[in-house]
Amino acid sequence: MNHPNPSTTEVVLRAKKDSIQKQRAGQFLFVRFPKEKPLAESHPFTIASAPQEDVLRVTIKACGDYTRHLFSNLQAGMDAVVEGAYGMFDYKTGGQKQIWVAGGIGVTPFLSFIRNLEADLAFDIDFYYTVRHREEAIFVDEIKAAAKKNPRLKAHVRFSATDGSLTVEEIAKIAGGNISGHHVYMCGPLPMVMAFEKKFVEAGVTAGNIHYEEFNFR
């Protein structure tokens, strides 16, 4: 268990008996901590680790009663029960040119993507990670190191309080002006995702090429 910033908990889970069942980077699972009463109810969290790791990592922001209690009271060694993995958020099914947009704790599925990158990355990716203040950003060094190692991955970290809000117009300009053929992957606060989706469609991206993290069962 780690605290990458003053409001976020990284929970590291290791299987006691059966191996951890994971399928693809970017999926989510349900977690509960049965011996800690306020945390005994299952909640969904995105898996931030790569499928090949021998642990599960979930990175959780304290923003509600459950997650605030988890931040303050979760102790190393607590038993957890997990169910999953679920979800269809998978950049590998998209086209060659991609735009990733993460807002706040919505960076978690992209961390899984990055931690699972292959040496010969087959996609051209512009990854935008936006938070309001610099201290809110997590794992920035890891993200930048991945981009340095993979020339086809370009990382853009944005602090909106000082840099201004990220816009689709800016994203399109950096991409060369025409993003109609790009696949877009987004995760973050729902109002942000909905606003960006509208702007991406207006910029020529077809709705079928816009993907965002949802807790969908398949």
Side-chain angles (χ1 to χ4, degrees):
M1 185 181 67
N2 309 296
H3 291 295
N5 72 19
S7 64
T8 304
T9 305
E10 182 188 47
V11 182
V12 182
L13 304 168
R14 188 180 299 276
K16 280 189 169 182
K17 293 184 291 185
D18 299 330
S19 60
I20 296 167
Q21 298 298 310
K22 292 185 291 180
Q23 294 182 352
R24 297 184 306 275
Q27 291 190 299
F28 68 94
L29 46 67
F30 284 85
V31 183
R32 62 186 178 92
F33 301 89
K35 293 182 180 179
E36 175 71 13
K37 189 174 181 181
L39 304 178
E41 180 181 314
S42 288
H43 280 243
F45 298 107
T46 301
I47 302 168
S49 47
Q52 71 270 17
E53 294 183 50
D54 63 352
V55 295
L56 281 170
R57 288 190 275 172
V58 291
T59 305
I60 302 165
K61 183 177 181 179
C63 56
D65 291 343
Y66 183 95
T67 51
R68 280 194 289 265
H69 186 90
L70 184 149
F71 180 88
S72 300
N73 297 281
L74 191 70
Q75 300 295 321
M78 280 186 176
D79 288 338
V81 177
V82 301
E83 179 190 345
Y86 303 111
M88 304 295 290
F89 196 62
D90 185 2
Y91 79 96
K92 292 183 180 180
T93 64
Q96 179 186 330
K97 293 184 177 182
Q98 298 190 4
I99 295 164
W100 299 354
V101 180
I105 198 62
V107 72
T108 51
F110 300 105
L111 289 173
S112 183
F113 288 170
I114 285 170
R115 289 164 176 167
N116 191 48
L117 285 180
E118 298 168 357
D120 54 344
L121 183 61
F123 305 90
D124 295 306
I125 300 164
D126 276 296
F127 174 34
Y128 295 86
Y129 173 28
T130 178
V131 295
R132 183 157 178 78
H133 301 286
R134 184 177 297 271
E135 60 270 21
E136 295 175 45
I138 56 175
F139 301 109
V140 171
D141 289 344
E142 184 178 354
I143 291 166
K144 290 182 176 179
K148 187 175 181 180
K149 186 177 178 181
N150 295 271
R152 298 182 74 174
L153 170 68
K154 294 179 175 59
H156 313 268
V157 181
R158 182 68 163 251
F159 309 114
S160 61
T162 53
D163 302 333
S165 297
L166 179 68
T167 67
V168 170
E169 290 78 11
E170 182 180 354
I171 291 170
K173 184 178 180 181
I174 291 171
N178 183 1
I179 57 172
S180 60
H182 285 62
H183 277 243
V184 176
Y185 292 82
M186 295 188 287
C187 187
L190 187 60
M192 181 205 85
V193 171
M194 295 295 98
F196 268 89
E197 181 182 29
K198 182 175 182 291
K199 291 294 185 180
F200 276 119
V201 170
E202 290 174 358
V205 181
T206 61
N209 284 1
I210 300 175
H211 317 271
Y212 42 87
E213 166 71 289
E214 290 182 297
F215 292 137
N216 286 333
F217 293 93
R218 295 292 176 89

